[in-house]
Amino acid sequence: MPELKASDGMPSLWVETRGDRSGDPLVLLHGFTGTHRTWDLLSERLAQRYFLILPDLPGHGRSGVPPSRAEMGIGPTSQAVAEVVRLTTGEGGGGRRAALLGYSLGGRVALDLACKHQELLSCLILEGASAGIESDDEREERRARDDALADEIERRGIEWFVDYWQELPLFATQKDLPRTVFQAIRRERLSNSARGLAMSLRAAGTGQMVPLWDAMDDLRMPVLLVVGKRDGGG
């Protein structure tokens, strides 16, 4: 199942799988600037037990850029991932529920999917993810910043952006990683296109996301929230 074609306003997604289909299904959603390769090291261990489902999110990796910005939003993307889950765990898979793990952008997509399609999931794992910005004014400010950065990405190119992105305080601790790991992260970021990342910011940035704080109250599955010991913020 290398690619799920777009339908009904959903983006096309490139999807790779690893492990034996008889294993419990686990969907892994990467963050902004990542690809399915984000999970390579972890996948080596997880594939021994689980059937891994690894999409490239819109604007990233081999999924490319949908023809319209509307198809790249959190909602349409989560619908596309839900269809991936149905196709990979339904026919031939016994309709099993999948565990869903999402990081950052992938975490926001995962949360939206969980709020809409609990019947597909056995549990939800969110790493460094937000349920959205509740304040209308703050959400508009974030949207404006994301749009401005998207313009800069398109104007100055992917290498400029990756240099800028890896210097953000948010990623300061990545400089303590082994050099080979740090360079692999950089190469993965550079493998994306300036247009794809710019469009992802404009369509699926935190400022564009409909807040899900109230919808979370209806979740009835186990949910695990993961943050790093050295992460900043309050």
Side-chain angles (χ1 to χ4, degrees):
M1 184 189 170
E3 186 175 22
L4 171 70
K5 294 294 185 181
S7 62
D8 299 323
M10 297 187 305
S12 296
L13 297 179
W14 179 269
V15 182
E16 300 209 2
T17 59
R18 297 173 190 171
D20 193 311
R21 281 185 174 270
S22 64
D24 292 332
L26 169 59
V27 184
L28 300 135
L29 302 181
H30 63 79
F32 179 65
T33 76
T35 69
H36 71 276
R37 300 297 302 272
T38 293
W39 308 106
D40 278 356
L41 291 177
L42 188 60
S43 292
E44 292 178 7
R45 298 169 60 185
L46 292 177
Q48 298 175 27
R49 175 177 176 183
Y50 299 97
F51 174 56
L52 305 183
I53 304 164
L54 304 114
D56 282 341
L57 295 176
H60 295 75
R62 301 182 68 175
S63 286
V65 185
S68 73
R69 174 172 164 175
E71 293 178 22
M72 293 187 69
I74 295 294
T77 299
S78 77
Q79 289 295 110
V81 176
E83 188 63 18
V84 168
V85 174
R86 292 189 185 97
L87 290 173
T88 52
T89 65
E91 184 178 356
R96 296 170 298 166
R97 294 190 177 196
L100 178 59
L101 188 163
Y103 164 65
S104 188
L105 166 62
R108 292 187 286 113
V109 173
L111 180 57
D112 189 80
L113 191 159
C115 289
K116 295 174 179 175
H117 296 288
Q118 295 198 58
E119 75 281 0
L120 297 177
L121 305 179
S122 60
C123 65
L124 176 65
I125 306 165
L126 302 176
E127 179 187 357
S130 167
I133 302 172
E134 292 186 278
S135 165
D136 291 342
D137 290 342
E138 291 180 10
R139 194 162 59 252
E140 179 57 37
E141 289 176 7
R142 176 59 181 267
R143 186 181 302 124
R145 292 198 304 271
D146 286 347
D147 286 348
L149 179 56
D151 291 342
E152 284 289 283
I153 296 172
E154 290 185 323
R155 184 173 70 85
R156 304 178 72 169
I158 187 66
E159 189 160 354
W160 167 84
F161 173 66
V162 171
D163 288 342
Y164 161 83
W165 194 249
Q166 70 184 26
E167 292 301 320
L168 292 177
L170 176 66
F171 302 114
T173 57
Q174 288 189 351
K175 295 180 180 179
D176 297 332
L177 294 169
R179 182 172 178 78
T180 55
V181 176
F182 182 82
Q183 290 299 325
I185 293 171
R186 178 178 172 81
R187 286 194 300 271
E188 183 183 17
R189 289 169 173 161
L190 287 169
S191 73
N192 292 303
S193 69
R195 180 170 176 262
L197 296 185
M199 286 293 288
S200 179
L201 268 180
R202 294 188 183 111
T206 308
Q208 292 286 350
M209 180 180 175
V210 176
L212 296 172
W213 296 98
D214 292 338
M216 289 170 58
D217 290 339
D218 295 326
L219 291 178
R220 296 294 178 265
M221 69 188 73
V223 178
L224 175 64
L225 305 178
V226 180
V227 296
K229 180 179 180 180
R230 298 174 63 187
D231 285 354

